[in-house]
């Protein structure tokens, strides 16, 4: 919760603190044997730092609160003891569970909280319960005791009704930082999240390290560290994952630097020998290429200089250097390019967003080309192998058959949901990065424009061919700063966002996600969630076919979100939507030991049951509503009797080299993923 003292807040993300503690009871693992004043009921006496529960020394610590009645529990806020702060004892690794008067314990949140005297919270989807249990796995400063001054419980008046076919939200992960950027290590399958030089704030090019946190699904632990060996504050960066699973991270707060994350457990974060990009920048678009190089363009905010200088550049791992591509000018991706104005401070200033060229939607394609799909209305082809440096018009995001045109779609969602056929879905976005929550900052004559519900299908053909987009069924809700995840069945999950885009403000956020089904060109509502996911949030498909949605904020404590929530699509649930289907009811891929394939190879797939579908989804990284390397390949299965083959596309512009999650499906239910690597 940042540095905000939520213990004194009457509401928390729309939930209300329980003020009347009549009848509450607390039991715990232990209390300090020689100090009766530290019994566990001191944690619920509503006296704050005036009293403490301090456990006895030991290795097992827990506290259970009986709320005396069943309520819709939404959050648990814990105030560490100031008296014992110097010695430690504040909760670090933990788990929160709830249960009704007669039911079983349900885990609702776990993870690691920050150190210090700040109030920390576990926020989860509301559940009817009477009992809350906080189990402490370890404490800060390796203390062998726990010291808590106060525990508050927050409730909602009602639990949202289930949505038919809308899936459900499961447990919450608590991080010791605001996770702004996230990616999966394709080798360990651990999730890595990054903030800035500090867990809850940023500054432009003043610090050269980054706080990160790693979730290990196998152990359930979340660990954090400060990485300084790269001399890089990785906030608002460009990201792309190469053929070997390395994450190439560029610019951001430390605008002139790039780093490499090697997924090998013995390697990790590395500073390249030549660790400078050609053009310092933040907010850039970036993507991996089929020939092993990495391309980026655009950006503002960081790096100094007018955005006219943020032209394209390319990284060649053979030389380890970035090279400018002056022919691929950032002007090609400029938003509101028809308006004549200059950056702020000039004699003819314009609205800030009209001179930005940031967060470009870039998709590697055939013959070493890259298609730029937005967020500007104008789309482009960039050629990086054949006729390198050449740019051709890719068309405009409009449907001429309907006489309908999109506008600039800043921080809209874009995902290649069908790479075999070159299909890209774009959804939402707004003409302006800022709606200007503080109207006093709005320049004279500037316009306020809300996010759209616009959705387009863009089908790529031969490189250089002008694309004619098709307008699809619109979303039900306006969204900027929303995130997209493509599911194994080809559906697209859109989550979060807000109607009026304003960084670091949660007003007008959209609590109901939507799911797009390509076969029917239709949207349906997903289960609502209770934590705002807007600016600096992300969504990531996990190998178990669920989706992790997290982050938001990193400037204002009241809108800093130190967590992520697991969303389970309906294909993972029992018919009534209440429980997760057991793994025994999901198809499984038998491990044959083969994980390396070349483009064009046939993948051999042995399963435990007959299956009827299969797909590949690429490992990638997400930040600022951007995930350019994400794509899905629909596989055509051949064979039967639990033994199949499926051909990987032969063009590396389609089957982008790198690590992929292989899923098989039976009647719409996906397996857990097998990780394979595709290379040239």
């Amino acid at each position: 919760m940042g540095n905000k003292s939520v213990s004194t807040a009457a509401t928390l993300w729309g939930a209300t603190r329980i003020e009347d503690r009549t009848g509450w009871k607390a039991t715990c693992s232990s209390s300090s044997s020689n100090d009766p004043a530290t019994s566990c009921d001191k944690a619920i006496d509503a006296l704050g730092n005036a009293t403490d529960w301090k456990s006895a020394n030991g290795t097992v610590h827990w506290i259970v609160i009986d709320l005396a009645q069943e309520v819709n529990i939404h959050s648990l806020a814990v105030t560490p003891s100031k008296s014992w702060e110097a010695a430690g004892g504040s909760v670090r690794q933990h788990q929160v569970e709830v249960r009704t008067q007669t039911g079983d314990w349900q885990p609702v949140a776990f993870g690691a909280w920050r150190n210090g005297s700040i109030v920390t919270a576990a926020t989860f989807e509301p559940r009817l319960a009477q009992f809350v249990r906080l189990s402490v796995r370890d404490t800060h400063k390796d203390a062998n005791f726990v010291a808590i001054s106060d525990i508050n419980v927050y409730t909602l008046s009602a639990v949202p009704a289930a949505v038919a076919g809308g899936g459900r939200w499961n447990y919450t992960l608590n991080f010791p930082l605001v996770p702004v950027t996230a990616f999966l290590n394709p080798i360990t399958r651990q999730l890595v999240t990054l903030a800035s030089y500090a867990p809850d704030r940023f500054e432009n090019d003043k610090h050269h390290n980054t706080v990160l946190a790693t979730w290990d699904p196998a152990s359930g632990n979340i660990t954090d560290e400060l990485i300084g060996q790269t001399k890089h504050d990785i906030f608002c960066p460009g990201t792309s994952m190469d053929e070997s699973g390395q994450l190439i991270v560029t610019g951001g707060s430390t605008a002139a630097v790039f780093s490499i994350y090697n997924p090998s457990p013995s390697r990790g974060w590395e500073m390249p020998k030549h660790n400078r990009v050609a053009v310092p920048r933040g907010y850039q678009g970036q993507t991996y290429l089929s020939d092993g190089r990495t391309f980026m363009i655009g950006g503002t905010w960081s790096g100094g200089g007018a955005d006219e200088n943020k032209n394209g550049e390319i990284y060649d791992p053979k030389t380890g250097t970035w090279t400018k591509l002056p022919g691929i000018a950032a002007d090609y991706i400029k938003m509101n390019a028809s308006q004549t104005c200059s950056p702020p401070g000039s004699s003819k200033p314009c609205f800030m967003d009209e001179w930005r060229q940031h967060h470009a939607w870039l998709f590697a394609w055939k013959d070493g080309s890259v298609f730029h799909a937005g967020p500007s209305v104008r789309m482009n082809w960039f050629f990086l192998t054949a006729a390198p440096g050449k740019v051709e018009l890719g068309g405009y995001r409009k449907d001429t058959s309907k006489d309908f045109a999109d506008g600039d779609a800043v921080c809209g969602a874009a995902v290649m949901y069908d790479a075999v056929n070159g299909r890209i879905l774009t959804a939402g976005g707004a003409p302006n990065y800022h709606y200007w929550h503080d109207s006093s900052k709005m320049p004279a004559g500037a316009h306020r424009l809300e996010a759209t519900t616009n959705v387009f299908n863009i089908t790529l053909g031969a490189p250089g061919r002008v694309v004619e987009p098709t307008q699809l069924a619109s979303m039900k809700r306006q969204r900027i700063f929303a995130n997209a995840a493509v599911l194994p069945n080809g559906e697209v999950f859109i989550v979060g966002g807000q109607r009026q885009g304003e960084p670091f403000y949660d007003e007008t956020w959209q609590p109901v996600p939507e799911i797009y089904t390509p076969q029917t060109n239709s949207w349906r509502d997903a289960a609502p969630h209770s934590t705002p996911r807007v600016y600096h949030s992300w969504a990531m498909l996990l190998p178990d076919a669920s989706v992790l949605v997290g982050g938001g904020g990193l400037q204002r404590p009241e809108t800093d979100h130190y967590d992520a929530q697991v969303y389970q699509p309906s294909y993972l649930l029992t018919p009534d939507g209440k429980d997760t289907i057991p793994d025994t009811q999901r198809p499984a891929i038998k491990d044959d030991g083969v994980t390396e394939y070349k483009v064009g190879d046939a993948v051999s797939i042995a399963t435990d049951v007959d299956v009827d579908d299969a797909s590949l989804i690429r490992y990638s990284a997400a930040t600022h509503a951007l995930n350019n390397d994400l794509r899905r390949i629909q596989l055509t299965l051949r064979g039967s009797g639990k033994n199949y083959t499926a051909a990987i596309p032969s063009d590396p512009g389609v089957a982008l080299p790198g690590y992929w999650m292989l899923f098989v499906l039976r009647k719409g239910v996906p397996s857990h993923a097998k990780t394979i690597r595709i290379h040239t």
Side-chain angles (χ1 to χ4, degrees):
M1 300 309 304
N3 296 317
K4 181 182 180 183
S5 179
V6 296
S7 62
T8 60
T11 60
L12 184 64
W13 314 133
T16 302
R17 185 181 63 201
I18 299 179
E19 302 291 356
D20 184 1
R21 301 187 181 193
T22 302
W24 281 27
K25 297 178 182 178
T27 55
C28 55
S29 53
S30 67
S31 291
S32 181
S33 58
N34 58 2
D35 188 357
T38 61
S39 60
C40 50
D41 61 352
K42 303 301 181 184
I44 60 170
D45 60 10
L47 296 178
N49 283 306
T51 59
D52 299 313
W53 164 49
K54 179 180 178 296
S55 73
N57 293 340
T59 57
V60 178
H61 307 291
W62 53 263
I63 184 169
V64 173
I65 303 172
D66 180 352
L67 303 176
Q69 61 179 326
E70 291 186 343
V71 294
N72 299 316
I73 300 177
H74 171 272
S75 307
L76 189 74
V78 177
T79 304
S81 167
K82 287 188 177 297
S83 301
W84 293 93
E85 181 179 356
S90 60
V91 179
R92 181 171 166 73
Q93 300 284 348
H94 61 276
Q95 177 170 291
V96 179
E97 301 164 279
V98 300
R99 72 174 178 88
T100 59
Q101 189 175 35
T102 58
D104 296 328
W105 287 107
Q106 299 177 39
V108 292
F110 64 89
W113 280 327
R114 292 179 60 190
N115 192 13
S117 60
I118 61 171
V119 179
T120 50
T123 300
F124 39 88
E125 296 313 308
R127 289 176 170 73
L128 183 67
Q130 179 173 328
F131 298 90
V132 184
R133 179 165 65 189
L134 172 64
S135 300
V136 183
R137 296 183 179 180
D138 67 24
T139 60
H140 286 283
K141 299 188 177 180
D142 295 323
N144 58 1
F145 64 88
V146 176
I148 293 174
S149 289
D150 197 39
I151 298 177
N152 279 297
V153 177
Y154 292 76
T155 67
L156 290 177
S157 58
V159 175
V163 177
R168 72 165 183 173
W169 293 89
N170 203 322
Y171 56 83
T172 296
L173 300 177
N174 296 319
F175 292 101
L177 51 74
V178 177
V180 174
T181 300
F183 65 93
L184 280 170
N185 180 318
I187 294 177
T188 66
R189 295 192 173 193
Q190 295 175 339
L191 181 91
V192 182
T193 65
L194 303 102
S196 183
Y197 79 96
D200 60 350
R201 57 191 178 277
F202 66 92
E203 291 183 273
N204 186 12
D205 209 16
K206 292 184 178 180
H207 308 272
H208 304 287
N209 47 42
T210 303
V211 179
L212 66 81
T214 301
W215 171 47
D216 181 3
S219 67
N221 287 337
I222 292 177
T223 57
D224 63 312
E225 61 179 308
L226 180 68
I227 55 170
Q229 65 268 36
T230 62
K231 310 298 182 184
H232 192 180
D233 184 350
I234 304 170
F235 175 69
C236 300
T239 59
S240 56
M241 195 169 284
D242 73 9
E243 181 176 318
S244 63
Q246 293 185 132
L247 188 72
I248 310 298
V249 187
T250 59
S253 280
T254 310
V257 168
F258 85 100
S259 303
I260 293 177
Y261 176 84
N262 189 301
S264 171
S266 63
R267 299 282 294 275
W269 291 95
E270 300 174 348
M271 182 172 70
K273 180 179 179 181
H274 305 290
N275 71 328
R276 293 292 188 270
V277 295
V279 180
R281 62 182 94 207
Y283 282 0
Q284 61 268 35
Q286 182 174 318
T287 190
Y288 185 63
L289 304 176
S290 59
D291 64 4
R293 298 181 297 169
T294 298
F295 170 73
M296 68 175 170
I297 189 173
T300 52
W301 180 75
S302 184
D307 55 353
E308 284 79 13
N309 296 328
K310 311 297 185 184
N311 299 337
E313 62 181 287
I314 198 162
Y315 173 69
D316 188 340
K318 295 179 181 178
T319 62
T321 58
W322 290 87
T323 303
K324 293 181 181 179
L325 298 169
I328 302 182
D331 274 347
Y332 285 110
I333 68 170
K334 189 173 184 179
M335 289 173 279
N336 289 313
S338 62
Q339 301 195 24
T340 303
C341 57
S342 302
S346 68
S347 59
K348 190 178 181 182
C350 65
F351 189 43
M352 180 181 290
D353 289 329
E354 292 167 359
W355 61 281
R356 286 195 168 186
Q357 304 161 358
H358 49 32
H359 304 319
W361 307 339
L362 305 174
F363 296 92
W365 193 235
K366 300 175 181 179
D367 299 332
S369 64
V370 169
F371 186 77
H372 160 246
S376 63
V377 173
R378 174 187 165 120
M379 303 181 296
N380 299 280
W381 285 102
F382 300 137
F383 293 90
L384 304 169
T385 302
K390 181 181 179 182
V391 179
E392 291 188 1
L393 175 67
Y396 294 89
R397 211 164 46 256
K398 61 182 180 180
D399 187 331
T400 55
S401 67
K402 297 181 179 179
D403 194 26
F404 182 88
D406 197 12
D408 291 331
V410 177
C411 286
V415 59
M416 185 176 278
Y417 66 100
D418 178 4
V420 173
N421 294 298
R423 292 173 180 161
I424 299 166
L425 181 139
T426 71
N432 310 121
Y433 205 78
H434 292 264
Y435 186 80
W436 295 107
H437 179 90
D438 182 353
S439 60
S440 66
K441 295 180 180 179
M442 188 171 60
H447 47 281
R448 288 176 155 189
L449 296 174
E450 295 187 342
T452 76
T453 60
N454 298 346
V455 180
F456 282 88
N457 178 80
I458 297 169
T459 300
L460 305 184
R465 179 177 296 173
V466 173
V467 173
E468 296 184 1
T470 302
Q471 185 194 10
L472 301 177
S474 297
M475 295 184 293
K476 299 178 183 179
R477 298 162 187 87
Q478 300 164 266
R479 301 180 192 268
I480 179 177
F481 306 138
N483 297 280
V486 61
L487 305 179
N489 62 5
E491 293 185 317
V492 179
F493 177 64
I494 303 289
V495 60
Q498 58 194 141
R499 178 167 52 87
Q500 298 171 348
E502 183 63 33
F504 311 113
Y505 288 86
D506 287 345
E507 285 85 345
T508 74
W509 78 282
Q510 302 288 12
V512 182
E514 300 179 53
I515 299 172
Y516 178 73
T517 303
Q519 292 85 348
T520 58
N521 183 29
S522 62
W523 293 89
R524 70 177 186 274
D525 287 352
H529 57 116
S530 60
T531 301
R533 301 297 179 192
V534 287
Y535 190 61
H536 287 166
S537 65
W538 45 268
M540 185 72 59
L541 181 73
L542 298 179
D544 68 355
S546 65
V547 181
L548 188 63
V549 180
L554 197 86
Q555 187 186 68
R556 301 174 66 243
E558 52 267 56
T559 58
D560 287 348
H561 301 287
Y562 287 74
D563 55 16
Q565 301 166 273
V566 171
Y567 170 75
Q568 295 177 301
S570 57
Y571 54 53
L572 295 180
L573 304 180
T574 53
D576 61 9
K578 294 182 179 180
D579 296 300
T580 305
I581 60 174
D583 284 347
T584 54
Q585 295 181 19
R586 298 176 63 175
I589 301 173
K590 295 181 179 179
D591 185 9
D592 59 3
V594 181
T595 59
E596 299 277 330
Y597 295 93
K598 289 185 177 180
V599 292
D601 280 354
V603 180
S604 296
I605 307 172
T607 61
D608 64 337
V609 294
D610 291 338
V611 297
D612 49 40
D613 199 3
S615 63
L616 288 166
I617 297 178
R618 197 176 189 276
Y619 282 91
S620 53
T623 188
H624 290 78
L626 203 62
N627 192 340
N628 286 336
D629 289 344
L630 175 63
R631 60 181 62 191
R632 172 182 174 271
I633 291 174
Q634 172 72 49
L635 295 173
T636 299
L637 290 175
R638 301 186 184 279
S640 60
K642 308 174 189 177
N643 290 285
Y644 306 88
T645 61
I648 297 171
S650 59
D651 194 313
V654 176
L656 192 62
Y659 280 89
W660 295 70
M661 290 181 275
L662 169 64
F663 294 94
V664 296
L665 298 91
R666 176 182 170 86
K667 297 181 179 180
V669 178
S671 64
H672 288 259
K674 174 183 177 179
T675 298
I676 69 169
R677 188 172 80 97
I678 299 174
H679 56 90
T680 53

